[in-house]
Amino acid sequence: MSATVRELVDEAYDRRESTWRAALETVNDWVESVRTPSPLLSGDRVRVVEGRIKDRMRTGEKLRRKLADSNDEIHESVEVENQVIDVVGARVVCRTEREQTALWDLLTEGDDTNLSIAEVRDYSATPKPSGYRGRHLIVEVPFEAEPSVLVELQLRTILQDAWCVLAEEHLFKPGQALKSDPQQERLSVILSGLLAQADSVAGYIADDVGAYLGLGNAAPLRSFAEVEEPTDPAIEVTIRELNHSYVLAADEVGRHGIIRLETLGLTPDNPERSAFPHPGDKLQVRMDESNTTRYFIPVSREG
C-alpha cells in the first residue's frame, strides 16, 4: 500500500471536512423543508438533532476491517469515502413510529430536490442482529466544484434512539478494546424487542389521546367493522391494564396488544362499569397486526 490507512484518512479529512459539514447542513435543511408543511410532523413530534462527522480513528478502524475482509487496498484518499459511506451522519428523532413512517414516506417519495437517495436501509422492518432498529437513507449531496458527498440519514423513534444510548453505544461502540459477551448481546436484543413493543403502545396512545382531544393531527380511529374476518385461530390473553378507551392485554408468550372498548360492546363516553374486564381476566381473541400496532379482537368472553 502506497500510504498507510491513517495517512489516507487524515488526508481525506483535511481536504473534505468543510464540504462534509456543508452536506450535513443541506440534508438537515431538506428534512426541515419536507416536514414543516405536515401537521402530523409539526413541533417536537420530529426533531432534527445535531449530526456528526465520524471520528477519524473510527473511520480508520472501519476502513481497515473492510479492506481486510475484502482482501483489498486503497491508494488515494478519495477512496476513503467510497469505502466508508457513513462518514457523514444526520439524525432525526421522531416521537413514535407513526411520525417516523410519515416522514420516511415523504422523504423517499418526493422528487422536488436536487438530492438523490443512493440507498435505503430499513432496520425497523428487519432489525440488525444486535437488535438495532431504525430507518436509514444514504443521501447523495451534489457540489459543483468537487465530488458529491454521501450522508447517512437516520430516522429513529424516541425509543429506538434510547436503545442506542442504553445498548449500542455501551456494548458495541465503547471506544476501547472491550468486547461484549454473549449474555450482554442477548440482553441487548431482548431490550430492543421490549422497546419495540413499547413503541407500538406509545403510538397507539398518542393517536388515542389526539382523537380524544380533537387534535387535527391525530390519526383516525380504526373501524373494526371494516376489518375482514380473521382466519387465524383464537388465542387466550390476560388483561394487564385498563385505560379510558382501551385495554392492554398479553398472550401466553408475552406479546402485548390493544383491545378497544367498542370491541367489548363498550364506548369511552357511555361505558358499563360492571361490564369492564379486570386485570387478570382471561379473554379469547383473534390477533390483527398492522405495521405499528397489535390489536386483540375478542371472539368470546369468560365471566
Side-chain angles (χ1 to χ4, degrees), residues 51-220:
R52 59 104 181 103
I53 307 297
K54 188 184 288 289
D55 179 79
R56 295 188 185 207
M57 182 176 296
R58 286 190 173 177
T59 297
E61 291 170 351
K62 187 168 185 176
L63 180 57
R64 287 188 183 92
R65 289 196 302 270
K66 189 166 185 178
L67 294 175
D69 291 342
S70 61
N71 194 26
D72 198 3
E73 61 181 30
I74 63 173
H75 303 276
E76 302 290 339
S77 63
V78 69
E79 296 178 80
V80 172
E81 292 176 72
N82 297 333
Q83 295 286 339
V84 185
I85 64 174
D86 63 343
V87 172
V88 187
R91 182 157 51 93
V92 178
V93 177
C94 306
R95 183 178 293 181
T96 69
E97 291 174 323
R98 185 178 63 138
E99 287 85 0
Q100 183 191 46
T101 297
L103 181 58
W104 174 267
D105 290 343
L106 289 173
L107 293 174
T108 55
E109 294 173 3
D111 56 1
D112 56 347
T113 176
N114 63 341
L115 306 180
S116 59
I117 298 175
E119 191 174 342
V120 172
R121 301 174 176 179
D122 191 348
Y123 299 118
S124 287
T126 307
K128 289 185 177 182
S130 65
Y132 173 82
R133 285 173 164 83
R135 291 177 170 181
H136 295 191
L137 299 174
I138 305 299
V139 183
E140 184 173 359
V141 182
F143 288 88
E144 291 184 2
E146 53 184 310
S148 60
V149 175
L150 294 178
V151 178
E152 182 185 62
L153 173 59
Q154 301 177 348
L155 276 62
R156 301 174 184 167
T157 67
I158 291 174
L159 292 179
Q160 288 170 349
D161 197 55
W163 180 91
C164 292
V165 173
L166 294 171
E168 187 180 53
E169 291 297 327
H170 294 289
L171 294 180
F172 301 102
K173 300 177 182 178
Q176 51 186 316
L178 293 176
K179 296 291 184 180
S180 56
D181 61 34
Q183 170 73 354
Q184 292 172 333
E185 294 177 1
R186 187 179 72 84
L187 292 175
S188 175
V189 173
I190 292 174
L191 176 63
S192 172
L194 292 172
L195 290 176
Q197 289 284 342
D199 237 343
S200 294
V201 175
Y204 180 87
I205 293 173
D207 290 347
D208 188 60
V209 170
Y212 187 74
L213 297 177
L215 299 179
N217 55 11

Side-chain angles (χ1 to χ4, degrees), residues 187-297:
L187 292 175
S188 175
V189 173
I190 292 174
L191 176 63
S192 172
L194 292 172
L195 290 176
Q197 289 284 342
D199 237 343
S200 294
V201 175
Y204 180 87
I205 293 173
D207 290 347
D208 188 60
V209 170
Y212 187 74
L213 297 177
L215 299 179
N217 55 11
L221 295 175
R222 292 188 50 165
S223 173
F224 286 95
E226 300 173 359
V227 178
E228 295 182 0
E229 183 66 23
T231 58
D232 294 337
I235 60 174
E236 185 176 78
V237 298
T238 303
I239 303 301
R240 299 297 190 196
E241 183 180 335
L242 308 179
N243 208 296
H244 78 278
S245 61
Y246 69 89
V247 175
L248 183 65
D251 66 9
E252 61 182 7
V253 296
R255 292 177 299 184
H256 286 74
I258 296 296
I259 302 174
R260 292 196 62 85
L261 293 187
E262 50 262 44
T263 66
L264 295 169
L266 307 170
T267 66
D269 297 327
N270 187 29
E272 294 181 39
R273 303 303 301 184
S274 62
F276 263 60
H278 298 86
D281 285 354
K282 307 288 186 181
L283 292 179
Q284 293 292 316
V285 302
R286 298 190 189 277
M287 191 159 54
D288 174 38
E289 292 186 288
S290 68
N291 289 335
T292 60
T293 308
R294 177 181 297 115
Y295 295 92
F296 292 142
I297 305 174

